[in-house]
Amino acid sequence: MRKAINNGNITWLDEGEGATVVLLHGFSENAEIWSAQTEQLKNKYRVIIPDLPGTAASPVTTPLTMESMADYVYAILLAENIREAVVIGHSMGGYVALALAEKHPRMLKGLGLFHSTAKADSEEKKEGRRKSIKLMEQYGAETFIRQTLPNMFSPTTKSAHPEWVDAYVKMGMSCELPALVAYYEAMALRPDRTAVLQQITAPVLFIIGKDDNAVPLENVLPQITLPHLSSIHIFEHVGHMGMWEVAAESNVILEQFIAFCQL
């Protein structure tokens, strides 16, 4: 996988042939979150994993919103001369994918919401984000990351694979405080995009974990009937990190979904 820089945009590009697949990381993550999926998909598809603004060497843009990050992804695709792609986002990456689908619906051959939702934050969720921002600003990013990120895994995974939790926390600590705060502010301000699911003509993939505390099952279930065509997968004993917790199963689902989107 090579590193490309286009007008300051940092992107990881696989050299494979075939259809283009864009994988968007979530809050406090980077391209490494998709390593197992990239390894599986690169033999059939061209895989693009942008480091969203604020991640790695990509600077925080002002203002940072789901829309501005969607514009960032769109600019990368245009720079790579890509006119259509299957776009799959994890958590916050799903919010960015929805914003991209709203702005450029013809570009998407498929939309994947990997532990993500089209709904806006509830008032309770927004208040929780505001409290988290205060916690980060008062005590630093490390304290927040160590308290929060382990809860992204199911109890089963935390017990069986504490090394995954440690690796995820380490990844989160590589994200700078201003970016973490900007991400939380952007997520709190994002609009409801359930209408995008109703209007999109491309297939939509939903991957859901029964033990997901960040995007609970009951939040996503009402959305699965909105698209014209949905693919739904619900995992037992999986939290918010299916790409790691059930990597092999997730890879099979992604391969099947991407192949279907090319029909």
Side-chain angles (χ1 to χ4, degrees):
M1 183 163 274
R2 69 181 174 89
K3 184 178 183 180
I5 303 178
N6 297 308
N7 297 323
N9 297 339
I10 310 300
T11 317
W12 295 97
L13 303 166
D14 181 73
E15 299 299 331
E17 298 180 354
T20 299
V21 180
V22 179
L23 303 176
L24 301 178
H25 66 77
F27 170 81
S28 79
E29 299 169 357
N30 56 48
E32 292 180 15
I33 202 73
W34 295 110
S35 57
Q37 287 67 50
T38 304
E39 190 65 26
Q40 180 75 15
L41 297 174
K42 69 180 183 180
N43 296 321
K44 291 185 179 180
Y45 303 106
R46 185 182 187 191
V47 183
I48 298 182
I49 314 177
D51 278 336
L52 295 174
T55 299
S58 296
V60 176
T61 55
T62 304
L64 186 74
T65 64
M66 297 305 140
E67 295 78 17
S68 71
M69 287 191 281
D71 290 341
Y72 181 94
V73 175
Y74 183 66
I76 291 171
L77 295 179
L78 290 185
E80 292 295 322
N81 199 30
I82 293 166
R83 294 295 181 267
E84 59 181 26
V86 177
V87 182
I88 297 165
H90 175 235
S91 194
M92 185 186 76
Y95 310 154
V96 177
L98 283 159
L100 183 66
E102 183 176 62
K103 288 192 166 197
H104 308 285
R106 294 184 180 180
M107 177 169 273
L108 272 75
K109 292 280 288 182
L111 169 66
L113 298 182
F114 211 117
H115 304 304
S116 193
T117 175
K119 288 186 176 181
D121 276 357
S122 66
E123 288 305 316
E124 180 182 3
K125 185 82 169 181
K126 289 179 182 178
E127 180 59 26
R129 292 199 195 279
R130 286 191 286 266
K131 289 180 179 178
S132 294
I133 289 171
K134 289 181 180 178
L135 175 66
M136 286 188 274
E137 291 176 337
Q138 184 174 358
Y139 297 104
E142 181 174 346
T143 298
F144 172 78
I145 290 296
R146 289 191 180 279
Q147 287 183 358
T148 305
L149 294 197
N151 296 323
M152 297 298 103
F153 294 90
S154 71
T156 301
T157 301
K158 285 196 285 186
S159 176
H161 294 284
E163 73 279 9
W164 293 356
V165 179
D166 291 342
Y168 191 51
V169 168
K170 183 178 179 181
M171 182 185 296
M173 288 195 294
S174 70
C175 195
E176 299 291 337
L177 176 61
L180 296 174
V181 171
Y183 289 151
Y184 254 37
E185 290 175 340
M187 287 191 283
L189 292 173
R190 78 185 192 280
D192 183 285
R193 285 200 163 92
T194 51
V196 175
L197 296 181
Q198 293 173 311
Q199 296 163 5
I200 192 170
T201 57
V204 178
L205 170 68
F206 295 89
I207 292 184
I208 307 166
K210 279 194 174 181
D211 292 339
D212 189 344
N213 295 316
V215 183
L217 175 67
E218 58 270 21
N219 177 293
V220 184
L221 282 181
Q223 302 171 48
I224 63 177
T225 59
L226 297 179
H228 295 289
L229 184 58
S230 296
S231 177
I232 304 120
H233 301 270
I234 303 173
F235 285 110
E236 293 270 5
H237 309 302
V238 170
H240 195 61
M241 301 300 298
M243 71 284 291
W244 285 13
E245 294 180 84
V246 281
E249 295 89 337
S250 295
N251 289 350
V252 170
I253 290 168
L254 290 181
E255 271 204 289
Q256 292 176 342
F257 178 73
I258 295 163
F260 180 80
C261 290
Q262 310 311 313
L263 297 178

